[in-house]
Every structure is written in structure tokens, then in C-alpha cells.
Amino acid sequence: MKPIKNNTQYESALSRIYSLIQKDLKDNSPLSDELEILSVLVKEYENANFPMDKPNPLEAIKFRLEQKGMTEAELSQILGHRSRKSEILSGKRKLSLAMIRKLNEVLHIPAEVLIQSY
């Protein structure tokens, strides 16, 4: 195995990964090790060549609420005040450190996402 250095090698690695995941691999077998190594190489290539921006904090909050099947009223309970929730979701008020901590704790949104400017 070699590091992935170009798009052709990347596409080849993806094809090989696809063929390996179609098989019933046994743990700690040579093929499962190959799959794991290829996955790491692909991930590193993608991180270097296709970086993803962190989501907007407000969009992350809305997305996580939707994921958890929670309402905006439940967000009000997390943040403490109903009016505060409206101001935050509309962008009129910024998240405080206490709010960021609470959102991280309850909704498990990474703090590095929540501290971004918006």
C-alpha cells in the first residue's frame, strides 16, 4: 500500500473499498486490515483535498434539533428563556459561553462549531 497522491489513485482506492465491503470479512483478517488501511488513506486524502467547512452554529443547532426530534420550545428550555431562543435563531443575539456549554452538553454539538462567528 502507498499513500494516495492523485485522483486516479483515490478513485482506485474507493473502488477497492467498495469491493471489500461487499464481502463478509472476518475481523483481523488480511482483507479486513486492507479495508481499514485503505479507509484511513482515503480519509486523509479527502481531508487534504476536499476540506469541509464547519457548519454555521445556527444551522447546526436547527439540524441537531431536527435529528433528535426536538422542538424549538425544548430549545427554549435548554437556553433558559423563550425570547432568547427567538433572538438567537434569528441572529439578533449571539450565543453566550454558558449557552455554548449547555448546547454542547445537551445536544452534543461540538464547541468548535458553536464558537464560530456568524
Side-chain angles (χ1 to χ4, degrees):
M1 300 239 181
K2 295 181 180 179
I4 299 171
K5 297 182 179 181
N6 59 47
N7 202 44
T8 302
Q9 292 172 339
Y10 170 70
E11 293 295 332
S12 176
L14 287 178
S15 293
R16 180 63 180 155
I17 287 171
Y18 181 76
S19 69
L20 289 171
I21 62 174
Q22 301 304 311
K23 300 178 182 201
D24 185 23
L25 300 179
K26 305 284 185 222
D27 287 342
N28 298 316
S29 69
L31 289 178
S32 71
D33 289 345
E34 179 184 356
L35 176 60
E36 186 174 349
I37 292 167
L38 277 173
S39 297
V40 169
L41 293 173
V42 164
K43 179 182 175 186
E44 289 302 313
Y45 183 82
E46 288 175 343
N47 287 344
N49 294 283
F50 311 112
M52 292 185 64
D53 293 332
K54 292 181 180 130
N56 173 291
L58 302 180
E59 294 303 316
I61 292 168
K62 292 174 187 175
F63 178 73
R64 189 55 58 101
L65 287 175
E66 184 179 320
Q67 264 189 330
K68 292 182 163 278
M70 296 174 71
T71 65
E72 287 188 11
E74 290 171 295
L75 178 60
S76 295
Q77 293 173 350
I78 295 168
L79 298 177
H81 298 288
R82 184 175 181 182
S83 61
R84 201 173 281 166
K85 179 258 323 169
S86 298
E87 292 172 346
I88 287 170
L89 291 181
S90 69
K92 292 178 183 175
R93 178 188 278 258
K94 300 296 182 192
L95 291 168
S96 69
L97 182 56
M99 291 177 195
I100 290 170
R101 285 182 179 144
K102 192 73 170 173
L103 290 165
N104 174 260
E105 177 186 318
V106 177
L107 297 180
H108 306 289
I109 300 171
E112 59 269 13
V113 169
L114 296 169
I115 62 172
Q116 297 179 97
S117 61
Y118 55 95

